[in-house]
Amino acid sequence: MTDSQTDGPAGRTPVELYEKVTAQGEKVRSLKAEKAPKADIEAAVKQLLQLKGDYKTVTGQDYKAGCPPSDAPAPQDNGPSPGEGEGEGEGEDVVDPWNVSTSSAKGVDYDKLIVRFGSSKIDQDLVDRIERVTGQRPHHFLRRGIFFSHRDMQQILDAYENKKSFYLYTGRGPSSEAMHVGHLIPFIFTKWLQDVFDVPLVIQMTDDEKYLWKDLSLEECHRYAMENAKDIIACGFDINKTFIFSDLDYMGISPGFYRNVVKIQKHVTFNQVKGIFGFTDSDCIGKISFPAIQAAPSFSTSFPHIFSNRKDVQCLIPCAIDQDPYFRMTRDVAPRIGYPKPALLHSTFFPALQGAQTKMSASDPNSSIFLTDTAKQIKNKINKHAFSGGKDTIEEHRKYGGNPDVDVSFMYLTFFLEDDERLEKIRQDYTSGALLTGELKKCLIETLQPMISAHQERRKLVTDETVLQFMTPRKLAFDY
């Protein structure tokens, strides 16, 4: 249920209302596709009409899909402007596959984002159920709300309890040779999911996407995909359960994959992709067609060598919440082309060293800790660039304490320090003033240095031949 049901148009910008209408329209389509109860559909349609009326009251114009109001921000050169559900009203968080920003030092308001995107919160009941079903203690990413939102995870657990398997799908857009620690988050969690559920995994390297959006050659994008694959493999994935593929390679050798791309393309209109992604008439046609390529791995028939052409194997996608627009589109299309909707688990964003107002950039070496950084570089970056929640003087800090909710060093520890009790002790000591900012940064340095060093050692063992083995289409160690 959207918060606009009781608010009315007063105080809302045209952009906010436009996004509300667009999101509600998607909800109506989804309910109809799912053959929901008539009363639910009628209620959703009524709300849609009310929102359209509010929009016309504020703008003086009828709502038109794919045509944001005139005060919407102009698209940036590196990608579309926010589209469906990713508002940029005054003070609003901006979240889409290309841009993430917020005015809050605490970062994006994820509770509001859940409402805006129409997903479900991962609550304690769901975390407890995952523990019961798997027999394993939930990953600390779940315990701490780093993975905070989902779509249909209960359905995945139902199927698993009934001995019906599923598969995992995640990906990486290779825009540089070196990955940073934030890029590891979905892969660390995906490995845990693969281990506890014992299911196959496909990893898409969207080198074609980076060619379309970045000022890079095809050869550079493909080379970055191969280099990034080495870092992904170094996370410890089992070669017998994992298939990694480059779009530039796999599209040409898999008829099943390309056929699904074409099916998706036929069922999504230009107006829909403009509304979802903010594409404009000046965007190249490659961008407009790309969402179908990212959607295709959600369907098991894209990988006939793994699933023997079965079309009923459901997919679970762990990803950052900014990728959700792709899969809202996918879930809308799935029942129309005879496939199960993919389920999703959404993670929060890993903040830049300079603060949680933006996510990190691979093009800014000081915005994050990279997997190629030396121990000395890690120490220097954290000491020099990590945004502090401490007070200006030691005396003030001892008296009033620091704010861990805005302190980047503490935020990083919530991702990488696995000991819950120690993390809570650090929080309490920093809040009380017993722990100084320099001491908190030292805790982070001592956590990251051995972690990254160990990753670098594992990566050295990943040869070009190893990458080729992971990327060769083949039967995995599962029977379907």
Side-chain angles (χ1 to χ4, degrees):
M1 182 178 294
T2 62
D3 57 5
S4 61
Q5 288 181 308
T6 57
D7 286 354
R12 293 194 178 277
T13 68
V15 174
E16 288 175 315
L17 285 168
Y18 173 84
E19 288 157 356
K20 292 288 184 184
V21 177
T22 305
Q24 188 67 16
E26 181 186 9
K27 181 178 179 181
V28 170
R29 290 193 300 274
S30 179
L31 287 171
K32 289 181 177 179
E34 294 170 354
K35 294 183 169 52
K38 183 178 179 182
D40 290 352
I41 295 175
E42 289 177 346
V45 170
K46 182 179 178 181
Q47 176 62 19
L48 176 61
L49 294 174
Q50 178 185 324
L51 285 167
K52 285 185 175 181
D54 291 347
Y55 181 85
K56 187 169 184 178
T57 298
V58 171
T59 66
Q61 299 174 345
D62 289 327
Y63 168 86
K64 187 176 180 181
C67 297
S70 59
D71 62 344
Q76 298 185 19
D77 291 340
N78 64 340
S81 59
E84 182 174 39
E86 295 76 56
E88 193 177 0
E90 185 66 31
E92 284 286 333
D93 297 336
V94 178
V95 176
D96 66 40
W98 303 274
N99 309 285
V100 175
S101 65
T102 177
S103 58
S104 172
K106 294 182 180 181
V108 170
D109 187 327
Y110 293 104
D111 288 332
K112 286 185 178 180
L113 205 58
I114 286 173
V115 173
R116 198 190 306 169
F117 280 14
S119 59
S120 301
K121 186 178 181 66
I122 296 178
D123 56 18
Q124 191 58 48
D125 287 343
L126 180 57
V127 175
D128 291 343
R129 188 182 178 200
I130 291 172
E131 182 170 16
R132 290 195 305 272
V133 169
T134 63
Q136 302 287 330
R137 188 185 188 203
H139 196 280
H140 68 272
F141 287 176
L142 284 171
R143 303 197 305 268
R144 297 174 189 169
I146 290 169
F147 273 81
F148 70 100
S149 166
H150 75 98
R151 296 184 188 276
D152 290 344
M153 187 60 192
Q154 297 284 14
Q155 189 178 103
I156 290 287
L157 296 174
D158 289 343
Y160 185 77
E161 286 185 314
N162 290 319
K163 310 300 182 185
K164 184 178 179 182
S165 192
F166 61 95
Y167 73 99
L168 296 163
Y169 157 40
T170 193
R172 162 83 184 122
S175 59
S176 65
E177 190 168 316
M179 291 169 58
H180 56 58
V181 288
H183 292 141
L184 288 181
I185 302 306
F187 296 109
I188 291 171
F189 188 61
T190 299
K191 182 184 184 304
W192 180 82
L193 289 170
Q194 185 185 58
D195 289 346
V196 299
F197 285 106
D198 188 27
V199 290
L201 161 67
V202 296
I203 299 175
Q204 180 182 42
M205 308 299 288
T206 57
D207 38 13
D208 53 344
E209 175 201 15
K210 294 309 172 185
Y211 175 69
L212 294 168
W213 263 269
K214 301 285 186 179
D215 186 21
L216 298 168
S217 69
L218 272 176
E219 291 72 25
E220 285 176 312
C221 294
H222 189 262
R223 181 169 62 83
Y224 291 161
M226 300 301 108
E227 291 301 314
N228 286 186
K230 293 179 181 179
D231 277 310
I232 293 168
I233 292 167
C235 291
F237 290 107
D238 185 345
I239 194 169
N240 296 312
K241 302 178 184 178
T242 307
F243 174 51
I244 303 174
F245 65 99
S246 147
D247 283 344
L248 291 175
D249 291 337
Y250 189 59
M251 180 81 85
I253 61 175
S254 177
F257 186 86
Y258 183 62
R259 287 176 183 179
N260 280 337
V261 169
V262 173
K263 286 180 184 178
I264 297 161
Q265 288 172 339
K266 183 173 181 177
H267 288 82
V268 181
T269 67
F270 182 41
N271 271 344
Q272 284 176 314
V273 293
K274 284 199 299 183
I276 296 170
F277 300 102
F279 295 141
T280 70
D281 292 344
S282 62
D283 281 308
C284 72
I285 60 173
K287 290 183 179 181
I288 295 158
S289 62
F290 174 75
I293 297 173
Q294 184 156 323
S298 306
F299 307 131
S300 56
T301 52
S302 293
F303 308 100
H305 52 280
I306 300 174
F307 301 108
S308 302
N309 288 313
R310 279 189 49 182
K311 60 188 294 186
D312 61 336
V313 185
Q314 192 173 12
C315 176
L316 173 62
I317 306 170
C319 63
I321 187 70
D322 61 337
Q323 298 300 300
D324 189 66
Y326 283 112
F327 301 113
R328 291 205 303 274
M329 182 200 77
T330 308
R331 285 168 56 84
D332 180 58
V333 169
R336 288 185 275 151
I337 57 177
Y339 295 138
K341 292 183 177 183
L344 287 100
L345 291 168
H346 300 125
S347 73
T348 59
F349 301 116
F350 195 80
L353 279 171
Q354 289 80 359
Q357 283 88 348
T358 62
K359 66 177 183 179
M360 293 172 297
S361 169
S363 61
D364 181 359
N366 292 322
S367 71
S368 183
I369 308 299
F370 284 77
L371 300 180
T372 52
D373 285 346
T374 64
K376 183 178 179 180
Q377 286 175 315
I378 293 168
K379 180 180 179 180
N380 290 341
K381 282 186 180 182
I382 292 170
N383 283 331
K384 185 176 181 180
H385 297 290
F387 183 82
S388 168
K391 298 298 184 286
D392 292 336
T393 67
I394 292 178
E395 292 75 17
E396 284 183 319
H397 189 88
R398 293 292 191 201
K399 183 177 181 179
Y400 299 109
N403 183 357
D405 293 335
V406 301
D407 191 290
V408 166
S409 294
F410 185 80
M411 292 179 187
Y412 278 30
L413 285 172
T414 64
F415 283 87
F416 296 118
L417 184 62
E418 294 190 19
D419 188 327
D420 289 343
E421 291 183 3
R422 187 179 173 213
L423 183 67
E424 181 57 29
K425 180 70 164 56
I426 290 171
R427 173 189 281 278
Q428 291 175 3
D429 287 350
Y430 194 61
T431 303
S432 70
L435 188 72
L436 299 175
T437 295
E439 294 169 328
L440 177 58
K441 289 185 174 184
K442 185 171 183 289
C443 291
L444 176 60
I445 292 166
E446 292 174 347
T447 300
L448 285 183
Q449 282 178 334
M451 184 193 89
I452 293 176
S453 176
H455 179 89
Q456 291 169 350
E457 291 303 311
R458 292 193 301 270
R459 193 187 190 281
K460 289 178 183 177
L461 302 177
V462 181
T463 64
D464 291 340
E465 177 62 28
T466 306
V467 174
L468 180 61
Q469 290 174 338
F470 270 90
M471 300 186 82
T472 299
R474 66 204 185 282
K475 178 72 175 171
L476 298 181
F478 294 89
D479 292 321
Y480 289 96

